[in-house]
Amino acid sequence: MTLAMTVSTPEPRTSGSPEVSAPPVAVILGPPGSGKGTQCARLAERLGVVHVSTGDVLRDEMRLRSRLGRRVGGYVDIGALVPDGLVLEVVHEALERHQHADGVLLDGFPRTIDQAEGLGRLRNEVRVAVALVVPRNALVRRLAERGRADDRPEVVRRRLASYQRETRPLLDWYAARGVLVHVDGDRATGEITRVLTRLVRNAGVGGEPAPRP
Ligand code: AMP
């Protein structure tokens, strides 16, 4: 399977045994159009961490007409969530592949409590869950401008409804675990990146390279 993600020179860790290495994770939550993808790409570059976007992976698989792509296409096209088991497999594989990275940003995953619980069973620790907050009218405007295949108005309505129904409960789930932070996502891109960089780095995901001896 080809995984589409931004990889910024993940270097092998120098301490700990390779078998138990599992990079810390920052989960970036927010409705479609809230800027998760844009911000994760910028953060990955600044912090030298890996960006895993489940939406990008699924779209790539669909373009390649792989077995996975053919299974998920029907869901993605209408803005419905892909079954949890399939997405969990994608994420599990990505995390294993990047087990030596300094950190991983998860963009578009988890989207349901079941997915969050699945992630919780993996070896990686979720250090921070960031919820990007953007008013609905701004989301609708941004998605219309972006013009991806699943940004058509009727599909957008379904994706926003799915976010409210299935993903929003995750905010409480992560809040109960003490890792949720809300970030205003309705301002200049650079300003949001500055806030997120500090947050994610302070949570121990990526950041300054270890000082040389
Ligand atoms: P995104 O690029 O994150 O907006 O995702 C695009 C589409 O991919 C979504 O509308 C879903 O159909 C599917 N998708 C991406 N991530 C997930 C996920 N974690 N769980 C279920 N479906 C997903």
Side-chain angles (χ1 to χ4, degrees):
M1 171 170 22
T2 309
L3 295 176
M5 56 192 68
T6 312
V7 181
S8 312
T9 58
E11 290 199 351
R13 287 163 175 247
T14 47
S15 61
S17 90
E19 296 82 51
V20 296
S21 167
V25 165
V27 163
I28 313 297
L29 299 162
S34 58
K36 298 187 296 294
T38 303
Q39 290 300 334
C40 284
R42 295 168 66 99
L43 283 174
E45 194 183 316
R46 278 170 180 66
L47 294 169
V49 295
V50 172
H51 170 200
V52 177
S53 156
T54 45
D56 283 350
V57 174
L58 298 175
R59 278 184 292 277
D60 268 13
E61 295 292 325
M62 287 164 63
R63 259 193 302 275
L64 292 168
R65 299 189 188 287
S66 69
R67 187 152 173 272
L68 175 64
R70 282 179 278 125
R71 284 181 77 182
V72 302
Y75 299 97
V76 175
D77 285 342
I78 63 166
L81 290 187
V82 167
D84 291 332
L86 290 177
V87 193
L88 256 166
E89 226 172 275
V90 164
V91 171
H92 188 196
E93 185 179 314
L95 289 175
E96 287 306 307
R97 175 188 297 218
H98 294 292
Q99 60 182 300
H100 299 299
D102 284 336
V104 175
L105 306 171
L106 288 182
D107 160 11
F109 178 94
R111 261 180 159 95
T112 64
I113 302 270
D114 275 356
Q115 291 181 14
E117 285 172 347
L119 175 60
R121 286 191 293 272
L122 303 181
R123 297 179 301 144
N124 306 71
E125 187 189 348
V126 174
R127 296 280 178 83
V128 62
V130 178
L132 287 174
V133 182
V134 177
R136 187 185 168 100
N137 56 359
L139 297 172
V140 171
R141 194 182 57 238
R142 288 187 195 180
L143 292 169
E145 284 166 7
R146 187 169 69 177
R148 215 168 65 190
D150 59 349
D151 289 338
R152 299 188 307 279
E154 71 278 13
V155 181
V156 163
R157 268 197 297 279
R158 186 190 278 254
R159 291 166 61 210
L160 289 170
S162 150
Y163 180 79
Q164 289 301 331
R165 193 176 53 240
E166 297 172 273
T167 308
R168 262 201 84 113
L170 270 183
L171 304 193
D172 288 340
W173 197 89
Y174 279 119
R177 283 152 186 80
V179 292
L180 183 74
V181 185
H182 288 93
V183 170
D184 175 5
D186 192 23
R187 50 190 163 157
T189 307
E191 213 175 302
I192 302 169
T193 307
R194 272 194 295 283
V195 172
L196 290 177
T197 303
R198 204 170 47 235
L199 257 175
V200 170
R201 181 185 277 143
N202 287 347
V205 179
E208 303 297 330
R212 293 186 187 280

